[in-house]
Amino acid sequence: MSRISLAGAAFALALAAQFGFAPQAAMAQQAPKPGELTEAAFTAQTCALCHGTPSQTPPTMPLIYGSNADQLYTTLLDLKANRRPSTIMGRIARGFTDDQLKAVADYLARY
Amino acid sequence: MTHFTRRGLLGAGAAAATLLGMPNIARAAGGRVVIVGGGFGGATAARYLKLFDPSIEVTLVERDATYVTCPFSNYVLGGIRDLNSITHRRDPLRQRWGVRLVRGEARAIDVSRKSLRLADGVALPYDKLVVAPGIELKYEGVPGYSEKAADRVPHAWKAGAQTALLRRQLEAMPDGGVVIVAPPANPFRCPPGPYERVSMIAWYLKNHKPKSKILILDAKDAFSKQGLFQAGWESQYPGLITWLAGKDGGKVEEIDVANMTIKAGFGNEKAAVINLIPPQTAGRIAVDAGLTEANGWAAVDPISFASRKAADVYVIGDASIAGAMPKSGSAANSQAKVVAAHISATLNGKAPPPAVFHNTCYSLVTPDYGISVTGTYRPGPNGVAEVPNSGGVSPAQANADFRKQEALHTEGWYAGIIADALG
Ligand SMILES: Cc1cc2nc3c(=O)[nH]c(=O)nc-3n(C[C@H](O)[C@H](O)[C@H](O)COP(=O)(O)OP(=O)(O)OC[C@H]3O[C@@H](n4cnc5c(N)ncnc54)[C@H](O)[C@@H]3O)c2cc1C
């Protein structure tokens, strides 16, 4: 998985240093605003429980933000079908249709 | 951490929006949202309201200075965590997100004037009110039990002093003693919680008092992750744990606290330590404000978690009737996001996104042996329903490495939910 989104986080931190505000304020601006809260954008917020945010992913968890959308979608389909082994993610992926997973993958890739 | 001024926050938003290539649209004033309770439900709602729309004025009312989480309190009993490590401050909600924190006890809701009254007389007007008070213990649900009796026979179903008391009792009991754990009938806070607790007490006894036994006197005939727990107990703690189902005489009929004796369907049992988990209702404010049904829990619209009883009031977390979702921290966190999306969209005259809910409950059988249950849920005609053919429990057959990975993810989940609610 690419760590491209880290550049965004570093950017936010640099901003924070420059303007003297907390990086979270910048991160907050990446969150979907009411008019942008599509189904996929909202679904992605539920993933944050375990996967954290682009700048703060827990050390035990894979980074899902900012990777290639097609690759992310393929991974999710593989998890869903148990082609890719997982402890829990297959069970979670089976809660979504392929279209829903595609939309979430596209959304997460934008980070 | 820098303290925000209003100006600082808006300035930051404008700078970031421009630099991240988003249109920098001036925003209309957002409205006032008041939240009762700063647990997983209320804290997540506050944080996500600010995340979705920083212009909303968010006020969080909470009676306690710190949040001692029930999740991981069983690990304090097992001796693998201390209370400090599960005690959290709510300051980041103010410092990072601009949530107004009010320390106090919410007493009454004036639905027609749209105002929340606190015990000290202060009135907080709202456009939308989120009620997330967790549970109240129904001590009188077990004859002989009372709030006072909990000083001798802890429930430890609200973490903190009760957790410490139960831990001290386990440390003080003789090797060879009997520990009784008595879970209530459904519904109650954290369905797998009593059985994870039994596992953690077993972990402590096995390592420190190996002649001791645990007796589970259950009001129920089945329990959450039962097959996984029982297989785990058999392999990790052979002979240490006995579970007595309600139908086999396990249901507690009465407790004699002075003599540390429980009367159950099968007869009387004396114990060195008793952990009695009484039945529960929604937190008192929800009951007093008339938000609850005859069963003690608050009915809500599964699409938005809006109260069925009062306009512009939402009830989330343990206090709500959430259909197929269990009363868990993960569930409260997920419901809070749906409510935050619904309120921020509504206040901005936009359509809210379709609701989707998530729950995961990890439990440890030993520090290196984790199991889980997870689910994705959507609103249905009969309340929140689980998406068919998804979710479920960890596989019955799995090697030690798999169980160990889930134990690691248990830690990851905790770090994640603390950051997601309070970070
Ligand atoms: C032993 C145990 C283990 C658990 N383990 C897990 C786990 O591993 N995973 C999981 O997901 N869940 C777990 N849970 C369940 C979890 O703790 C609850 O489901 C969760 O805390 C519910 O969140 P809530 O916001 O509804 O209520 P709470 O967390 O109880 O928060 C309610 C808050 O409101 C405040 N409050 C109440 N009334 C008022 C008032 N009138 N005025 C001001 N403040 C008020 C309270 O002080 C409290 O801070 C466990 C529970 C127990 C008992």
Side-chain angles (χ1 to χ4, degrees):
Chain A
M1 292 242 154
S2 92
R3 292 231 162 210
I4 286 169
S5 64
L6 275 181
F11 189 47
L13 279 167
L15 263 180
Q18 193 178 338
F19 294 96
F21 57 78
Q24 283 77 7
M27 293 314 302
Q29 300 307 310
Q30 290 195 5
K33 295 292 158 273
E36 309 160 4
L37 257 179
T38 58
E39 179 170 4
F42 182 76
T43 301
Q45 308 306 314
T46 68
C47 317
L49 167 65
C50 299
H51 288 282
T53 60
S55 64
Q56 283 175 309
T57 291
T60 52
M61 294 296 302
L63 183 78
I64 58 171
Y65 302 97
S67 38
N68 175 281
D70 290 339
Q71 193 189 319
L72 201 51
Y73 177 51
T74 308
T75 305
L76 285 167
L77 289 183
D78 287 349
L79 287 161
K80 185 176 172 181
N82 274 341
R83 285 190 295 268
R84 188 182 176 95
S86 70
T87 56
I88 198 167
M89 200 53 221
R91 287 180 270 157
I92 295 172
R94 284 190 282 281
F96 298 90
T97 64
D98 293 1
D99 287 349
Q100 286 165 341
L101 292 177
K102 172 95 176 67
V104 174
D106 287 345
Y107 180 83
L108 291 170
R110 297 189 339 192
Y111 278 98
Chain B
M1 175 56 56
T2 341
H3 280 247
F4 270 173
T5 61
R6 187 77 188 151
R7 206 167 143 244
L9 190 63
L10 293 173
T18 312
L19 287 161
L20 294 172
M22 285 186 210
N24 181 12
I25 305 161
R27 206 190 300 279
R32 292 163 305 183
V33 180
V34 174
I35 302 171
V36 179
F40 287 117
T44 306
R47 192 167 168 279
Y48 272 79
L49 276 162
K50 280 295 192 185
L51 222 142
F52 292 148
D53 185 353
S55 75
I56 296 175
E57 249 178 61
V58 180
T59 305
L60 179 68
V61 180
E62 167 60 51
R63 65 158 80 98
D64 293 337
T66 55
Y67 188 43
V68 186
T69 63
C70 285
F72 280 36
S73 65
N74 287 332
Y75 310 161
V76 175
L77 300 177
I80 60 174
R81 276 261 185 172
D82 62 22
L83 264 181
N84 249 341
S85 74
I86 61 164
T87 303
H88 304 274
R89 302 182 62 84
R90 298 181 179 86
D91 305 51
L93 291 176
R94 174 171 54 80
Q95 293 167 343
R96 294 180 191 161
W97 302 99
V99 173
R100 183 176 162 220
L101 298 179
V102 173
R103 175 98 183 274
E105 171 88 21
R107 263 295 153 69
I109 304 168
D110 186 336
V111 174
S112 58
R113 288 215 185 88
K114 296 177 73 165
S115 173
L116 176 77
R117 190 165 53 73
L118 308 189
D120 62 9
V122 168
L124 298 171
Y126 62 80
D127 297 313
K128 305 279 182 188
L129 179 71
V130 180
V131 179
I135 57 162
E136 214 63 53
L137 296 160
K138 246 166 74 180
Y139 295 99
E140 71 284 3
V142 178
Y145 201 48
S146 64
E147 188 168 1
K148 180 143 194 326
D151 294 341
R152 180 81 178 84
V153 173
H155 51 78
W157 220 239
K158 293 188 177 188
Q162 279 277 305
T163 315
L165 173 62
L166 182 52
R167 171 71 190 169
R168 282 198 304 276
Q169 291 182 347
L170 293 167
E171 284 171 339
M173 71 175 258
D175 188 8
V178 172
V179 177
I180 291 178
V181 176
N186 293 324
F188 65 102
R189 158 177 286 182
C190 197
Y195 313 96
E196 181 188 50
R197 171 167 294 177
V198 165
S199 309
M200 283 293 110
I201 294 175
W203 173 255
Y204 169 72
L205 295 178
K206 179 184 167 181
N207 289 305
H208 297 277
K209 289 162 189 175
K211 294 202 285 277
S212 310
K213 300 273 184 237
I214 303 173
L215 176 61
I216 308 169
L217 295 178
D218 213 325
K220 301 180 293 301
D221 295 337
F223 60 88
S224 171
K225 292 185 261 189
Q226 181 168 350
L228 288 169
F229 272 118
Q230 289 183 321
W233 294 342
E234 218 156 274
S235 69
Q236 307 298 311
Y237 312 112
L240 204 159
I241 299 163
T242 304
W243 175 66
L244 210 54
K247 64 173 165 45
D248 300 324
K251 187 173 179 344
V252 173
E253 289 170 1
E254 198 178 336
I255 180 166
D256 179 347
V257 171
N259 291 304
M260 288 295 283
T261 301
I262 276 189
K263 182 169 172 252
F266 76 97
N268 292 348
E269 185 76 27
K270 202 174 158 68
V273 175
I274 301 177
N275 172 215
L276 184 63
I277 306 165
Q280 298 141 33
T281 67
R284 184 158 297 138
I285 177 82
V287 179
D288 289 353
L291 300 175
T292 51
E293 303 297 312
N295 63 12
W297 306 100
V300 294
D301 175 358
I303 291 174
S304 62
F305 274 64
S307 166
R308 296 273 196 207
K309 297 276 176 105
D312 296 312
V313 176
Y314 300 74
V315 186
I316 55 172
D318 288 355
S320 67
I321 300 174
M325 296 188 83
K327 298 186 185 301
S328 76
S330 294
N333 167 271
S334 163
Q335 293 154 10
K337 292 176 187 179
V338 167
V339 162
H342 190 89
I343 290 177
S344 60
T346 310
L347 289 176
N348 283 278
K350 310 275 187 204
V356 55
F357 303 91
H358 173 85
N359 177 64
T360 292
C361 293
Y362 281 107
S363 304
L364 292 183
V365 174
T366 77
D368 289 325
Y369 189 132
I371 56 178
S372 62
V373 59
T374 186
T376 304
Y377 305 80
R378 292 186 185 272
N382 303 311
V384 178
E386 187 161 7
V387 175
N389 305 316
S390 73
V393 299
S394 311
Q397 304 300 327
N399 60 23
D401 184 55
F402 190 102
R403 304 293 189 213
K404 184 158 184 160
Q405 273 188 56
E406 288 222 273
L408 263 182
H409 291 316
T410 305
E411 293 280 340
W413 169 86
Y414 187 75
I417 196 169
I418 293 299
D420 206 35
L422 295 163

